[in-house]
Amino acid sequence: MSDQEQERTEVKPESQHIALKIQGSGFPELVIKVKRTTKLSKMMNAYCDRAGKSLSEVRFMFEGDKLRPEQLVQDLDFDDGDFDEENPLVIDVAQEAVGGSL
Amino acid sequence: MPALKRPLSAHDSPDAHRSPDYRADAVVLRGASPSSNKRVRRDDIEQDSSPATWVAPWGALFTQGFDFIKEAAKSAYNLATTSTSLPHPAQQPTRRLSAPTANGISPLSRRELKQLKLELKKLKDELVWHRMEARARGDDMSKDSPEVFDLKQQMDALKLRIEGAQRAKHSQLAANGGLFGPDANSARAMGGSNGLSNGASGTLGLLGGYQRKKPMGSDKHKADLANRDRATVEELRRDAQLRKAASTNDVRTRYRGLEFDVDDEEEAPEAEDALEERVYRQKNEQMLKQEDAKLGSKHIKLHRARAGETARQHRIPLTTSSLVRPSALDRSLFFPGPSAYPTKNGVVPSTQLGRSASSSRLEYALRQAKKTVEEPTREALEKYEQMRKELKELDEKADLELEEVKQKKRQFPKALSAEHQARAKAIFADRAYDVSMKGGSAAHRDIIRLEKRTWLNDEIVNFYGAMINARSDEADKREAKEGPKARGEGVKRLRKAFCFNTHFWNMFGDHGFSRVKRWTKRFDTFEKDIIIVPINHNNSHWVCAAVNIALKRFEYYDSLGNPSAFVYDRLRRWLAEEHKSKKGGKEIDLSEWENFWMEDLPLQANADDCGVFTCMFMESLSRDVDGFDFEQKNMPYLRHRIAIEIDQQKLLDLEPWA
């Protein structure tokens, strides 16, 4: 939580900040602003804290690609034209899935 | 009641022939019963006081039971027919719960009944004892000894007595207003006769006024149970019949349980045929009429004259063979429209109608065609034959080669090489294990699922998909540099494949196309050969679906062997949306796209391996395969192989091909 609050207080409408909207079925929706150089693990941990989930059972995806904690925000495959203040980048979040047989 | 009134001797007693011990027992037993005196009528007791005769009334009843019952029944009959009032007061029972029982048999209390039953049991025991003795002596068992015969008779009489007492109780209850509803009145009216018919009704039901009564008390409960059981059995039988009928589609079986006339049902299919035949004939006639109208009546008249009969009669020759339903080929040849096969005189000759029409039309067309061809010379013919032979050989060769390439299969060994085995062991043992590549990552908790028979999770399947995508991208690059041969040959040829993330399926299903629209932004979906879609059903089953763009079909591979219509529908919906989004709102025509299901799919034989099967389906689909080369027995090997591949972040080609 503290990470996130920190992010919020730091936020200034600068181009180096990116708004991320995290959403998924069964998960709370959350919009956070992060620096381009932030590690994704920071965002992931903050979100998991809030959602009350363990990081190992939650999957973050950006446009169909699974995100890894060690990636930086700027590693995400997006163009600057893809988002703005109104339309943040959407990070999909999903629960771990298992299967063996029906 | 002369039988009862007669002074009874000791000889009459059923105990007379028994051992003294037994008789003494019996006396004690009866004497001990507080209500035993109730069973013996006062006048009888007054007549006899010796122990042997003290029990005599029942002995008399046993030995002379039938006479006695006959008498009782007779008097009951008289009572019932003459409607006289209550019987002689001397025979009025002194019981509390007294009902008019003219025959003297009063309903017994439960305790008395119990005692009678106890006696019956004793007799039975004795009978068994006698029999065993006889057997031990080696007597002829087919014939009853005199003792056994006696015992049997006594038992019969006692049974009769018990039955009678029970019936008497019922009728008494009925007479006391135990019955309600419409039966109550009749039961009350019959009270006397019902009551006195007890005992007799069992054997001499003709004489007694006994009527079947509504079951009461515990009998009612039993009857209810029996009815319920019967209904259940009936229902089950009906159910089974219907199910069988549904499975066999047999009309007879289906209607056996129901009240249908089976014969009527049997005729139905024939009637259907007749209808079809009629429609067929009508169509024929219509077509011929049109033809006639076109060609004018002149030809028809000529033709009729030639045939010597009316054309109408000829058109549909009603022989038995014409009643046979025409084949699809016949029909297609028969209804091509009048212009498709011009006839000699512009008329359809009667011989060409009906079933023979197709063949004669073909023959005619062949004759016409032959006329247009010049007579071939011998050299030309020889040359032609030669060419045909060569072409055939070439075709066969090409087919063989293709077969060889298509049929190439991996030969899966039982275990990995020693080196890989050691590595796999190390991977599974490392609790801090973590590996990642673009689009996938796996930690110890994920990869450990590959060690033994455990369900796989999305990380493993996604990692495998990521490796497939990486291999396909690499092949694309190679192809751009070196040409199409770089993709490999035969089953090893890498398709232009894209494998979705496992969450694509539910994301699209739950939230619609907008949420997955950008998932394909880096490539043109319709340039790909195949889009592979791993699916997780209900967080419990992994399956693989695919949109085969090159072959225009939607494919579904479920290692449990269940084709699922909704999967095809959702794939279809996605592709339609995808086309609209990628091609500027243009609709795609999916009418020719087929839903593909493979019949000889390798199936899992347990409840854990579907994730491995799904990974292998995905990998195979990214190549140019026609079928799959793995099966259940390869699964333990393949699990460890996948672990090694994930560890190296690259799909490996470890097995020999044959």
Side-chain angles (χ1 to χ4, degrees), chain B residues 69-113:
Chain B
I69 285 156
K70 270 179 205 161
E71 286 290 335
K74 256 182 214 165
S75 65
Y77 181 73
N78 287 336
L79 259 179
T81 46
T82 55
S83 297
T84 52
S85 59
L86 296 177
H88 197 268
Q91 285 161 10
Q92 279 285 344
T94 56
R95 299 174 52 76
R96 209 164 6 103
L97 257 175
S98 64
T101 49
N103 63 352
I105 296 184
S106 53
L108 303 177
S109 72
R110 266 159 77 185
R111 192 178 300 194
E112 287 164 330
L113 206 60

Tab-separated table of all heavy atoms in Angstrom, chain B residues 69-113:
chain	number	residue	atom	x	y	z
B	69	ILE	N	-64.738	-76.213	11.252
B	69	ILE	CA	-64.775	-75.028	10.408
B	69	ILE	C	-65.901	-75.132	9.411
B	69	ILE	O	-66.578	-74.156	9.095
B	69	ILE	CB	-63.412	-74.842	9.733
B	69	ILE	CG1	-62.423	-74.316	10.780
B	69	ILE	CG2	-63.483	-73.864	8.593
B	69	ILE	CD1	-60.995	-74.611	10.466
B	70	LYS	N	-66.085	-76.327	8.928
B	70	LYS	CA	-67.198	-76.528	7.993
B	70	LYS	C	-68.506	-76.132	8.658
B	70	LYS	O	-69.330	-75.423	8.083
B	70	LYS	CB	-67.260	-77.989	7.558
B	70	LYS	CG	-66.427	-78.269	6.312
B	70	LYS	CD	-66.517	-79.721	5.963
B	70	LYS	CE	-65.292	-80.148	5.187
B	70	LYS	NZ	-65.123	-81.590	5.215
B	71	GLU	N	-68.637	-76.598	9.902
B	71	GLU	CA	-69.849	-76.269	10.658
B	71	GLU	C	-69.979	-74.753	10.770
B	71	GLU	O	-71.029	-74.176	10.516
B	71	GLU	CB	-69.751	-76.882	12.061
B	71	GLU	CG	-69.944	-78.381	12.105
B	71	GLU	CD	-71.381	-78.749	11.813
B	71	GLU	OE1	-72.278	-77.906	12.052
B	71	GLU	OE2	-71.601	-79.849	11.311
B	72	ALA	N	-68.867	-74.135	11.147
B	72	ALA	CA	-68.872	-72.693	11.354
B	72	ALA	C	-69.264	-71.978	10.075
B	72	ALA	O	-70.079	-71.052	10.073
B	72	ALA	CB	-67.488	-72.236	11.792
B	73	ALA	N	-68.682	-72.447	9.006
B	73	ALA	CA	-68.965	-71.810	7.731
B	73	ALA	C	-70.422	-71.976	7.357
B	73	ALA	O	-71.051	-71.043	6.843
B	73	ALA	CB	-68.072	-72.414	6.659
B	74	LYS	N	-70.933	-73.169	7.627
B	74	LYS	CA	-72.330	-73.428	7.287
B	74	LYS	C	-73.243	-72.475	8.050
B	74	LYS	O	-74.133	-71.844	7.485
B	74	LYS	CB	-72.690	-74.878	7.622
B	74	LYS	CG	-72.754	-75.754	6.391
B	74	LYS	CD	-73.161	-77.142	6.786
B	74	LYS	CE	-72.488	-78.161	5.905
B	74	LYS	NZ	-72.576	-79.506	6.461
B	75	SER	N	-72.969	-72.378	9.318
B	75	SER	CA	-73.830	-71.510	10.120
B	75	SER	C	-73.677	-70.075	9.665
B	75	SER	O	-74.637	-69.307	9.646
B	75	SER	CB	-73.491	-71.643	11.602
B	75	SER	OG	-72.187	-71.151	11.810
B	76	ALA	N	-72.452	-69.721	9.286
B	76	ALA	CA	-72.226	-68.374	8.782
B	76	ALA	C	-73.036	-68.144	7.525
B	76	ALA	O	-73.663	-67.099	7.336
B	76	ALA	CB	-70.744	-68.188	8.480
B	77	TYR	N	-73.035	-69.160	6.706
B	77	TYR	CA	-73.770	-69.058	5.455
B	77	TYR	C	-75.254	-68.880	5.742
B	77	TYR	O	-75.919	-68.020	5.165
B	77	TYR	CB	-73.514	-70.318	4.643
B	77	TYR	CG	-74.214	-70.313	3.310
B	77	TYR	CD1	-73.744	-69.482	2.283
B	77	TYR	CD2	-75.326	-71.091	3.073
B	77	TYR	CE1	-74.376	-69.452	1.070
B	77	TYR	CE2	-75.958	-71.068	1.859
B	77	TYR	CZ	-75.484	-70.254	0.847
B	77	TYR	OH	-76.107	-70.224	-0.354
B	78	ASN	N	-75.741	-69.687	6.655
B	78	ASN	CA	-77.140	-69.574	7.021
B	78	ASN	C	-77.455	-68.183	7.530
B	78	ASN	O	-78.443	-67.572	7.135
B	78	ASN	CB	-77.500	-70.595	8.102
B	78	ASN	CG	-77.550	-71.990	7.510
B	78	ASN	OD1	-77.757	-72.123	6.293
B	78	ASN	ND2	-77.340	-73.004	8.332
B	79	LEU	N	-76.592	-67.731	8.388
B	79	LEU	CA	-76.795	-66.402	8.959
B	79	LEU	C	-76.854	-65.359	7.864
B	79	LEU	O	-77.727	-64.500	7.840
B	79	LEU	CB	-75.641	-66.064	9.888
B	79	LEU	CG	-75.903	-66.220	11.379
B	79	LEU	CD1	-74.656	-65.870	12.140
B	79	LEU	CD2	-77.068	-65.346	11.799
B	80	ALA	N	-75.881	-65.463	6.970
B	80	ALA	CA	-75.782	-64.452	5.927
B	80	ALA	C	-77.003	-64.490	5.023
B	80	ALA	O	-77.485	-63.442	4.584
B	80	ALA	CB	-74.521	-64.679	5.101
B	81	THR	N	-77.498	-65.675	4.730
B	81	THR	CA	-78.601	-65.765	3.772
B	81	THR	C	-79.942	-65.463	4.435
B	81	THR	O	-80.791	-64.824	3.845
B	81	THR	CB	-78.640	-67.146	3.134
B	81	THR	OG1	-78.506	-68.112	4.178
B	81	THR	CG2	-77.529	-67.328	2.126
B	82	THR	N	-80.094	-65.923	5.627
B	82	THR	CA	-81.407	-65.712	6.263
B	82	THR	C	-81.448	-64.430	7.066
B	82	THR	O	-82.500	-64.007	7.527
B	82	THR	CB	-81.752	-66.876	7.217
B	82	THR	OG1	-80.668	-66.983	8.144
B	82	THR	CG2	-81.915	-68.181	6.464
B	83	SER	N	-80.330	-63.803	7.194
B	83	SER	CA	-80.265	-62.542	7.931
B	83	SER	C	-80.841	-62.654	9.332
B	83	SER	O	-81.543	-61.760	9.814
B	83	SER	CB	-80.991	-61.418	7.180
B	83	SER	OG	-80.358	-61.183	5.980
B	84	THR	N	-80.595	-63.742	9.934
B	84	THR	CA	-81.027	-63.861	11.329
B	84	THR	C	-80.117	-63.027	12.198
B	84	THR	O	-79.031	-62.642	11.790
B	84	THR	CB	-80.953	-65.327	11.800
B	84	THR	OG1	-79.645	-65.801	11.503
B	84	THR	CG2	-82.008	-66.178	11.161
B	85	SER	N	-80.583	-62.780	13.367
B	85	SER	CA	-79.798	-61.919	14.261
B	85	SER	C	-78.686	-62.731	14.943
B	85	SER	O	-78.321	-63.798	14.477
B	85	SER	CB	-80.717	-61.272	15.286
B	85	SER	OG	-81.349	-62.298	16.009
B	86	LEU	N	-78.210	-62.235	16.018
B	86	LEU	CA	-77.038	-62.808	16.669
B	86	LEU	C	-77.204	-64.286	16.985
B	86	LEU	O	-78.304	-64.777	17.174
B	86	LEU	CB	-76.767	-62.039	17.965
B	86	LEU	CG	-76.407	-60.574	17.741
B	86	LEU	CD1	-76.239	-59.874	19.069
B	86	LEU	CD2	-75.177	-60.443	16.872
B	87	PRO	N	-76.100	-64.993	17.073
B	87	PRO	CA	-76.164	-66.434	17.319
B	87	PRO	C	-76.559	-66.767	18.755
B	87	PRO	O	-76.823	-65.882	19.572
B	87	PRO	CB	-74.739	-66.892	17.017
B	87	PRO	CG	-73.901	-65.697	17.246
B	87	PRO	CD	-74.734	-64.533	16.875
B	88	HIS	N	-76.549	-68.036	19.005
B	88	HIS	CA	-76.971	-68.529	20.315
B	88	HIS	C	-76.209	-67.862	21.439
B	88	HIS	O	-74.978	-67.741	21.364
B	88	HIS	CB	-76.720	-70.059	20.361
B	88	HIS	CG	-77.467	-70.710	21.471
B	88	HIS	ND1	-76.904	-70.891	22.694
B	88	HIS	CD2	-78.714	-71.214	21.521
B	88	HIS	CE1	-77.791	-71.480	23.498
B	88	HIS	NE2	-78.908	-71.694	22.788
B	89	PRO	N	-76.931	-67.439	22.480
B	89	PRO	CA	-76.250	-66.725	23.562
B	89	PRO	C	-75.207	-67.582	24.253
B	89	PRO	O	-74.229	-67.050	24.772
B	89	PRO	CB	-77.375	-66.345	24.516
B	89	PRO	CG	-78.573	-67.080	24.060
B	89	PRO	CD	-78.387	-67.476	22.651
B	90	ALA	N	-75.383	-68.869	24.208
B	90	ALA	CA	-74.405	-69.720	24.881
B	90	ALA	C	-73.035	-69.592	24.254
B	90	ALA	O	-72.003	-69.843	24.869
B	90	ALA	CB	-74.862	-71.173	24.807
B	91	GLN	N	-73.057	-69.250	22.987
B	91	GLN	CA	-71.769	-69.147	22.300
B	91	GLN	C	-71.239	-67.723	22.272
B	91	GLN	O	-70.254	-67.436	21.598
B	91	GLN	CB	-71.923	-69.667	20.875
B	91	GLN	CG	-72.008	-71.178	20.878
B	91	GLN	CD	-72.597	-71.703	19.645
B	91	GLN	OE1	-72.801	-70.987	18.683
B	91	GLN	NE2	-72.927	-72.984	19.661
B	92	GLN	N	-71.944	-66.824	22.925
B	92	GLN	CA	-71.448	-65.451	22.995
B	92	GLN	C	-70.115	-65.425	23.728
B	92	GLN	O	-70.018	-65.892	24.854
B	92	GLN	CB	-72.455	-64.596	23.767
B	92	GLN	CG	-73.641	-64.144	22.935
B	92	GLN	CD	-73.276	-63.029	21.988
B	92	GLN	OE1	-72.244	-62.408	22.149
B	92	GLN	NE2	-74.114	-62.817	21.001
B	93	PRO	N	-69.091	-64.938	23.141
B	93	PRO	CA	-67.811	-64.881	23.833
B	93	PRO	C	-67.875	-63.878	24.978
B	93	PRO	O	-68.692	-62.965	24.962
B	93	PRO	CB	-66.836	-64.441	22.755
B	93	PRO	CG	-67.658	-63.846	21.676
B	93	PRO	CD	-69.057	-64.366	21.814
B	94	THR	N	-67.047	-64.091	25.926
B	94	THR	CA	-67.068	-63.228	27.103
B	94	THR	C	-66.004	-62.156	27.028
B	94	THR	O	-65.636	-61.545	28.007
B	94	THR	CB	-66.793	-64.072	28.357
B	94	THR	OG1	-65.544	-64.731	28.148
B	94	THR	CG2	-67.876	-65.075	28.593
B	95	ARG	N	-65.513	-61.949	25.832
B	95	ARG	CA	-64.384	-61.032	25.697
B	95	ARG	C	-64.837	-59.597	25.766
B	95	ARG	O	-65.971	-59.254	25.514
B	95	ARG	CB	-63.671	-61.279	24.376
B	95	ARG	CG	-63.114	-62.672	24.276
B	95	ARG	CD	-62.557	-62.890	22.919
B	95	ARG	NE	-61.621	-61.833	22.576
B	95	ARG	CZ	-60.400	-61.764	23.056
B	95	ARG	NH1	-59.993	-62.668	23.904
B	95	ARG	NH2	-59.611	-60.796	22.694
B	96	ARG	N	-63.912	-58.793	26.135
B	96	ARG	CA	-64.182	-57.361	26.249
B	96	ARG	C	-64.513	-56.780	24.863
B	96	ARG	O	-65.474	-56.084	24.682
B	96	ARG	CB	-62.945	-56.676	26.820
B	96	ARG	CG	-63.239	-55.450	27.590
B	96	ARG	CD	-62.037	-55.044	28.456
B	96	ARG	NE	-60.843	-55.833	28.238
B	96	ARG	CZ	-59.807	-55.381	27.514
B	96	ARG	NH1	-59.843	-54.200	26.962
B	96	ARG	NH2	-58.736	-56.147	27.398
B	97	LEU	N	-63.632	-57.094	23.951
B	97	LEU	CA	-63.799	-56.525	22.611
B	97	LEU	C	-64.673	-57.459	21.791
B	97	LEU	O	-64.271	-57.945	20.758
B	97	LEU	CB	-62.433	-56.420	21.926
B	97	LEU	CG	-61.798	-55.043	21.865
B	97	LEU	CD1	-60.413	-55.166	21.259
B	97	LEU	CD2	-62.643	-54.079	21.093
B	98	SER	N	-65.844	-57.739	22.310
B	98	SER	CA	-66.612	-58.792	21.664
B	98	SER	C	-67.310	-58.268	20.434
B	98	SER	O	-67.827	-57.171	20.401
B	98	SER	CB	-67.628	-59.355	22.632
B	98	SER	OG	-68.541	-58.338	22.952
B	99	ALA	N	-67.297	-59.099	19.429
B	99	ALA	CA	-68.068	-58.820	18.236
B	99	ALA	C	-68.968	-60.026	18.042
B	99	ALA	O	-68.672	-61.097	18.566
B	99	ALA	CB	-67.138	-58.674	17.051
B	100	PRO	N	-70.052	-59.874	17.337
B	100	PRO	CA	-70.893	-61.043	17.102
B	100	PRO	C	-70.136	-62.082	16.293
B	100	PRO	O	-69.900	-61.897	15.105
B	100	PRO	CB	-72.066	-60.472	16.324
B	100	PRO	CG	-71.611	-59.150	15.813
B	100	PRO	CD	-70.549	-58.671	16.719
B	101	THR	N	-69.731	-63.106	16.928
B	101	THR	CA	-69.009	-64.171	16.228
B	101	THR	C	-69.753	-65.473	16.444
B	101	THR	O	-69.573	-66.162	17.443
B	101	THR	CB	-67.578	-64.313	16.734
B	101	THR	OG1	-67.647	-64.373	18.156
B	101	THR	CG2	-66.731	-63.157	16.332
B	102	ALA	N	-70.589	-65.758	15.513
B	102	ALA	CA	-71.511	-66.865	15.672
B	102	ALA	C	-70.814	-68.215	15.716
B	102	ALA	O	-71.273	-69.161	16.324
B	102	ALA	CB	-72.508	-66.862	14.529
B	103	ASN	N	-69.674	-68.306	15.115
B	103	ASN	CA	-69.011	-69.603	15.049
B	103	ASN	C	-68.249	-69.934	16.312
B	103	ASN	O	-67.684	-71.000	16.425
B	103	ASN	CB	-68.076	-69.649	13.854
B	103	ASN	CG	-66.969	-68.618	13.987
B	103	ASN	OD1	-67.007	-67.789	14.897
B	103	ASN	ND2	-66.017	-68.686	13.111
B	104	GLY	N	-68.195	-68.995	17.211
B	104	GLY	CA	-67.540	-69.293	18.481
B	104	GLY	C	-66.066	-68.956	18.479
B	104	GLY	O	-65.424	-69.030	19.503
B	105	ILE	N	-65.539	-68.635	17.358
B	105	ILE	CA	-64.117	-68.259	17.361
B	105	ILE	C	-64.054	-66.766	17.606
B	105	ILE	O	-64.505	-65.968	16.796
B	105	ILE	CB	-63.435	-68.596	16.034
B	105	ILE	CG1	-63.450	-70.103	15.852
B	105	ILE	CG2	-62.009	-68.080	16.035
B	105	ILE	CD1	-62.739	-70.561	14.638
B	106	SER	N	-63.520	-66.427	18.716
B	106	SER	CA	-63.477	-65.000	19.035
B	106	SER	C	-62.112	-64.462	18.650
B	106	SER	O	-61.131	-65.203	18.628
B	106	SER	CB	-63.695	-64.815	20.532
B	106	SER	OG	-62.770	-65.615	21.229
B	107	PRO	N	-62.054	-63.198	18.353
B	107	PRO	CA	-60.756	-62.615	18.076
B	107	PRO	C	-59.889	-62.707	19.315
B	107	PRO	O	-60.380	-62.548	20.423
B	107	PRO	CB	-61.071	-61.159	17.752
B	107	PRO	CG	-62.536	-61.045	17.705
B	107	PRO	CD	-63.140	-62.233	18.369
B	108	LEU	N	-58.647	-62.975	19.128
B	108	LEU	CA	-57.759	-63.179	20.263
B	108	LEU	C	-56.999	-61.908	20.570
B	108	LEU	O	-56.799	-61.061	19.708
B	108	LEU	CB	-56.767	-64.304	19.936
B	108	LEU	CG	-57.384	-65.624	19.561
B	108	LEU	CD1	-56.297	-66.600	19.199
B	108	LEU	CD2	-58.216	-66.173	20.692
B	109	SER	N	-56.562	-61.835	21.777
B	109	SER	CA	-55.707	-60.709	22.138
B	109	SER	C	-54.332	-60.967	21.539
B	109	SER	O	-54.013	-62.079	21.116
B	109	SER	CB	-55.597	-60.586	23.652
B	109	SER	OG	-54.798	-61.640	24.140
B	110	ARG	N	-53.533	-59.943	21.578
B	110	ARG	CA	-52.216	-60.095	20.966
B	110	ARG	C	-51.401	-61.150	21.691
B	110	ARG	O	-50.662	-61.923	21.106
B	110	ARG	CB	-51.477	-58.763	21.008
B	110	ARG	CG	-51.670	-57.985	19.732
B	110	ARG	CD	-51.401	-56.548	19.960
B	110	ARG	NE	-49.966	-56.257	20.024
B	110	ARG	CZ	-49.498	-55.046	20.324
B	110	ARG	NH1	-50.338	-54.083	20.587
B	110	ARG	NH2	-48.209	-54.839	20.351
B	111	ARG	N	-51.579	-61.175	23.034
B	111	ARG	CA	-50.795	-62.110	23.823
B	111	ARG	C	-51.186	-63.543	23.475
B	111	ARG	O	-50.343	-64.421	23.326
B	111	ARG	CB	-51.036	-61.839	25.300
B	111	ARG	CG	-50.055	-62.572	26.185
B	111	ARG	CD	-50.290	-62.250	27.603
B	111	ARG	NE	-50.146	-60.804	27.852
B	111	ARG	CZ	-50.041	-60.288	29.067
B	111	ARG	NH1	-50.062	-61.074	30.115
B	111	ARG	NH2	-49.915	-59.008	29.245
B	112	GLU	N	-52.487	-63.749	23.321
B	112	GLU	CA	-52.959	-65.090	22.988
B	112	GLU	C	-52.434	-65.516	21.617
B	112	GLU	O	-51.998	-66.653	21.418
B	112	GLU	CB	-54.483	-65.121	22.999
B	112	GLU	CG	-55.038	-65.060	24.406
B	112	GLU	CD	-56.499	-64.694	24.411
B	112	GLU	OE1	-56.951	-63.959	23.490
B	112	GLU	OE2	-57.205	-65.148	25.309
B	113	LEU	N	-52.502	-64.578	20.747
B	113	LEU	CA	-52.029	-64.866	19.384
B	113	LEU	C	-50.556	-65.254	19.410
B	113	LEU	O	-50.115	-66.192	18.757
B	113	LEU	CB	-52.227	-63.621	18.520
B	113	LEU	CG	-52.394	-63.859	17.041
B	113	LEU	CD1	-53.606	-64.736	16.783
B	113	LEU	CD2	-52.548	-62.538	16.316
